Amino acid sequence: QLQLQESGPGLVKPSETLSLTCTVSGGSISSTGYNWGWIRQPPGTGLEWIASMYYSGNTYYNPSLKSRVTISVDTSKNHFSLKLSSVTAADTAVYYCARQKGLTMGGTYFYYYMDVWGKGTTVTVSS
Amino acid sequence: DIVMTQSPDSLAVSLGERATINCKSGQSVLYSSDNKNYLAWYQQKPGQPPKLLIYWASTRESGVPDRFSGSGSGTDFTLTISNLQAEDVAVYYCQQYYSAVTFGQGTRLEI
């Protein structure tokens, strides 16, 4: 059964870069038909999609965060990563990684719904 | 961004009764090329990640009880939970994937 596990520092200082990794087990990150994404949830509020990517390198970013976000994949380690730069208190949240159903057709990449989620990791931005 | 608006923000339903949650998108999420509505529903219980319930607006994810059903097209969608059980207490989110990904603000369901 596919499982996803987030890892990374639970505390990040303002203006620094938040770095998280999602390790995939029970399946390959190179599977066709799936993308890999990050979603966050600030305390007591709703869900915000951050970014997604296909294992071959195609990426898709939330326009409101694009200037600060980098998503990458390491197929040899079967994991993908998130970097969010210049963090502020507003970036404090539970960060989830997820498998996202998708489709690649004629050079076009489609990103659909998230069908498997990690348990989430809490990141606090504070000095 | 496509704004997703859910209603109500919260509701209380008796055990065994029906709960109805609405979701309205700021523009149509019906893709003409495949005639599919790019909309999903999730359930989130306290301290847990969201769980996929419904995708393509009305397709139930494997293992999800048939008490959960999705309907609607274009801009207006509904999640219906029939014969409400105690374990259905959660926050429910709709999500569009027609253009990037955006979620509704959530609807809290209580008994």
Side-chain angles (χ1 to χ4, degrees):
Chain A
Q1 183 178 356
L2 189 80
Q3 292 186 316
L4 285 70
Q5 178 66 60
E6 305 89 349
S7 59
L11 181 65
V12 182
K13 289 182 168 57
S15 79
E16 294 189 344
T17 296
L18 179 162
S19 296
L20 297 174
T21 296
C22 180
T23 301
V24 178
S25 59
S28 173
I29 204 167
S30 304
S31 298
T32 57
Y34 294 102
N35 303 300
W36 305 92
W38 290 95
I39 303 95
R40 69 181 182 180
Q41 186 169 35
T45 65
L47 301 162
E48 179 181 35
W49 168 70
I50 302 171
S52 300
M53 74 176 301
Y54 190 56
Y55 78 91
S56 63
N58 181 267
T59 57
Y60 199 11
Y61 292 103
N62 183 327
S64 69
L65 296 169
K66 186 175 183 177
S67 64
R68 298 195 291 131
V69 174
T70 302
I71 187 172
S72 60
V73 65
D74 187 332
T75 55
S76 67
K77 295 181 179 179
N78 218 39
H79 76 206
F80 62 105
S81 300
L82 172 75
K83 290 187 185 300
L84 178 64
S85 64
S86 304
V87 298
T88 69
D91 295 309
T92 294
V94 176
Y95 285 76
Y96 296 102
C97 60
R99 187 178 75 171
Q100 184 176 17
K101 184 69 174 173
L103 177 66
T104 304
M105 185 167 60
T108 300
Y109 296 81
F110 295 88
Y111 293 78
Y112 299 151
Y113 49 88
M114 287 74 173
D115 65 344
V116 181
W117 294 65
K119 293 182 178 180
T121 187
T122 299
V123 178
T124 301
V125 178
S126 174
S127 57
Chain B
D1 281 10
I2 298 180
V3 176
M4 308 299 290
T5 304
Q6 293 181 225
S7 62
D9 288 333
S10 64
L11 78 161
V13 177
S14 301
L15 290 173
E17 296 299 307
R18 176 183 299 174
T20 301
I21 300 171
N22 301 301
C23 176
K24 188 175 184 67
S25 58
Q27 66 181 73
S28 176
V29 297
L30 175 62
Y31 192 37
S32 56
S33 296
D34 57 13
N35 200 36
K36 289 183 176 180
N37 287 285
Y38 282 43
L39 184 114
W41 288 96
Y42 299 85
Q43 174 194 65
Q44 186 178 33
K45 297 181 179 181
Q48 296 184 20
K51 173 188 174 184
L52 176 67
L53 297 175
I54 303 283
Y55 55 93
W56 302 127
S58 60
T59 302
R60 200 178 302 114
E61 171 71 333
S62 176
V64 173
D66 59 7
R67 302 183 288 105
F68 292 85
S69 62
S71 62
S73 184
T75 61
D76 293 282
F77 301 89
T78 300
L79 174 69
T80 302
I81 309 170
S82 303
N83 186 22
L84 193 73
Q85 304 295 302
E87 62 262 32
D88 300 334
V89 169
V91 178
Y92 293 84
Y93 294 94
C94 60
Q95 173 221 336
Q96 68 79 21
Y97 43 97
Y98 180 92
S99 174
V101 169
T102 50
F103 294 89
Q105 81 277 17
T107 295
R108 185 175 303 276
L109 175 61
E110 300 172 333
I111 302 296

